[in-house]
Amino acid sequence: MRRYLRVVGLCLACGFCSLLYAFSQLAVSLEEGAAVGRRPQAAVASWLADGGRGTGRGAGSAGPGRTGRYGLKTRPTEKMHLAVVACGDRLEETVTMLKSALIFSIKPLHVHIFAEDQLHDSFKDRLDSWSFLQRFNYSLYPITFPSDSAMEWKKLFKPCASQRLFLPLILKGVDSLLYVDTDVLFLRPVDDIWSLLERFNSTQIAAMAPEHEEPRVGWYNRFARHPYYGRTGVNSGVMLMNMTRMRRKYFKNDMTTARLQWGDILMPLLKKYKLNITWGDQDLLNIMFYHNPESLFVFPCQWNYRPDHCIYGSNCREAEEEGVFILHGNRGVYHDDKQPAFRAMYEALRNCSLEDDSVRSLLKPLELELQKTVHTYCGKTYKIFIKQLAKSIRNRYDTPPKER
């Protein structure tokens, strides 16, 4: 009996010691986890690979994740990437486009601006005054083309327009990108067109809208001397891209039996078709997606609404039903009197500030100006110009304020 009691006592003592050891190890692990949370993060690599020369507020400031207590990673807020190319007298148009993008957007937005060198200081002066917008940053780049063919590309269609073809090769650190022309106005959040990336199937690498809805007034199907996508071609003024897929893809073509990657197909395509194309880089994109139709996601005309959709009478059914989402004032209609409805929209957003009260008071005077344009075909349907705009203002500014 005495021996039995000794064995029991010894077991209890061993158990108590084991328990003390376990508690001490737990305390050590908790201290180490807290130290991980306090450890400074490594510097984040530049978002532009291969020595790009982008400059601007906030460049490269977003990291892949944040290390929290106990070493767990929390998922960062997704950042959207928007690109634009500005040459000549397009500074004011570009700034107005960017303002329209920022007024309604929710997620952080990084803007990549490719501009002639003489415009850089003006862009910095204007955009640095928006530093109070915590969810916006930008980077400025020079206009850059392959050195052995720079003049050919620069003179194609309009100065600098073909720069967009090289974005997947320049912005190697960017996965997806929305490219827009300078004469675009966002009437709903950039987040909404950005979300279309999630609707791409496994073969699709880019998204654009048709060039025309009505074949009887279409340009490509009546005049083009080269292959083009679909019935009426596509318009590249608003182009959503999964650039990772674009860089990886091997494209079918009519120049060789071998499939070519993005960086290898551009110059041969230009050499073959340069005497047959009218709209420059847009024509080259049409040729490329003619041979690779499975790679294109086509979004409705309301995402790229142009004078062609109303100049001969309304022919964008989706805009009639839901309103215009993105207004594209090509052919200089913001700056002449040929399409006063488009000009009224541009002037309203150009004169609007980024302050909440200014945006809230935008709609009523704009509608009065649009009512003066009903003598034109586009003006007759002016309500589709402000239908989505009114909804965007209500959703963004008539709800409790959030950080912007």
Side-chain angles (χ1 to χ4, degrees), residues 28-40 67-71:
V28 170
S29 67
L30 289 175
E31 288 176 3
E32 289 176 348
V36 170
R38 295 190 298 267
R39 198 172 298 151
T67 304
R69 190 170 180 173
Y70 310 127

Side-chain angles (χ1 to χ4, degrees), residues 298-346:
V298 179
F299 48 64
C301 49
Q302 63 196 149
W303 292 104
N304 186 353
Y305 189 91
R306 286 160 280 121
D308 288 331
H309 292 118
C310 56
I311 194 171
Y312 304 114
S314 180
N315 60 53
C316 179
R317 179 177 53 83
E318 291 85 355
E320 292 171 8
E321 293 174 357
E322 299 179 281
V324 175
F325 294 170
I326 294 178
L327 194 70
H328 185 181
N330 62 344
R331 301 178 185 166
V333 294
Y334 293 152
H335 311 294
D336 60 33
D337 295 321
K338 293 178 181 177
Q339 296 300 328
F342 280 79
R343 182 167 184 168
M345 295 291 291
Y346 174 75

Side-chain angles (χ1 to χ4, degrees), residues 92-358:
E92 194 65 36
E93 261 190 9
T94 306
V95 171
T96 303
M97 178 276 291
L98 294 176
K99 191 189 301 181
S100 74
L102 292 167
I103 283 174
F104 302 118
S105 295
I106 301 164
K107 293 190 184 81
L109 183 65
H110 192 122
V111 180
H112 305 268
I113 304 168
F114 291 79
E116 292 174 309
D117 292 344
Q118 63 267 27
L119 295 177
H120 282 215
D121 287 342
S122 297
F123 271 116
K124 288 177 183 177
D125 289 343
R126 299 290 292 275
L127 300 184
D128 286 349
S129 69
W130 298 350
S131 59
F132 62 91
L133 297 172
Q134 297 180 6
R135 292 177 173 247
F136 161 69
N137 52 29
Y138 72 91
S139 298
L140 278 167
Y141 308 81
I143 299 297
T144 342
F145 294 110
S147 56
D148 57 344
S149 54
M151 288 310 297
E152 272 192 277
W153 288 112
K154 190 162 187 177
K155 291 187 293 185
L156 185 64
F157 187 43
K158 293 179 181 179
C160 312
S162 56
Q163 179 75 82
R164 84 185 88 183
L165 294 176
F166 298 93
L167 296 180
L169 307 177
I170 298 171
L171 300 177
K172 291 183 179 180
V174 177
D175 174 66
S176 296
L177 182 77
L178 174 63
Y179 166 85
V180 296
D181 286 347
T182 61
D183 51 10
V184 154
L185 296 173
F186 291 91
L187 306 183
R188 65 182 293 172
V190 176
D191 308 62
D192 295 334
I193 189 169
W194 189 259
S195 70
L196 296 182
L197 287 165
E198 299 173 2
R199 294 175 56 184
F200 283 19
N201 65 28
S202 60
T203 67
Q204 290 166 337
I205 64 172
M208 288 181 274
E211 173 69 14
H212 288 281
E213 300 299 306
E214 176 49 68
R216 288 177 295 177
V217 297
W219 194 92
Y220 282 108
N221 55 297
R222 293 190 295 157
F223 305 118
R225 295 178 293 153
H226 57 79
Y228 56 89
Y229 179 89
R231 289 194 312 152
T232 60
V234 286
N235 183 281
S236 60
V238 179
M239 184 176 178
L240 185 63
M241 296 176 272
N242 183 321
M243 297 202 299
T244 299
R245 291 185 181 182
M246 293 174 80
R247 289 184 284 261
R248 290 175 180 168
K249 184 175 174 62
Y250 286 82
F251 292 85
K252 301 187 291 288
N253 61 87
D254 58 359
M255 299 168 292
T256 172
T257 55
R259 298 190 179 200
L260 300 174
Q261 286 189 289
W262 190 268
D264 301 321
I265 199 173
L266 296 176
M267 196 62 210
L269 208 59
L270 177 61
K271 285 183 177 179
K272 177 170 182 176
Y273 286 105
K274 64 181 177 181
L275 298 179
N276 298 90
I277 58 178
T278 303
W279 308 114
D281 55 306
Q282 178 173 292
D283 291 347
L284 296 181
L285 289 168
N286 266 280
I287 296 167
M288 207 177 297
F289 286 110
Y290 168 84
H291 293 291
N292 301 270
E294 75 287 349
S295 297
L296 188 66
F297 178 97
V298 179
F299 48 64
C301 49
Q302 63 196 149
W303 292 104
N304 186 353
Y305 189 91
R306 286 160 280 121
D308 288 331
H309 292 118
C310 56
I311 194 171
Y312 304 114
S314 180
N315 60 53
C316 179
R317 179 177 53 83
E318 291 85 355
E320 292 171 8
E321 293 174 357
E322 299 179 281
V324 175
F325 294 170
I326 294 178
L327 194 70
H328 185 181
N330 62 344
R331 301 178 185 166
V333 294
Y334 293 152
H335 311 294
D336 60 33
D337 295 321
K338 293 178 181 177
Q339 296 300 328
F342 280 79
R343 182 167 184 168
M345 295 291 291
Y346 174 75
E347 292 293 334
L349 284 162
R350 184 175 71 88
N351 295 326
C352 181
S353 78
L354 290 165
E355 301 298 329
D356 290 7
D357 289 342
S358 179

Side-chain angles (χ1 to χ4, degrees), residues 36-98:
V36 170
R38 295 190 298 267
R39 198 172 298 151
Q41 296 181 29
V44 178
S46 170
W47 47 266
L48 181 61
D50 296 340
R53 292 184 289 159
T55 61
R57 184 170 63 85
S61 61
R66 185 181 67 217
T67 304
R69 190 170 180 173
Y70 310 127
L72 298 177
K73 287 188 176 180
T74 59
R75 188 174 179 179
T77 304
E78 181 188 9
K79 177 179 286 190
M80 303 179 294
H81 291 267
L82 176 68
V84 65
V85 179
C87 287
D89 59 356
R90 298 299 182 115
L91 172 70
E92 194 65 36
E93 261 190 9
T94 306
V95 171
T96 303
M97 178 276 291
L98 294 176

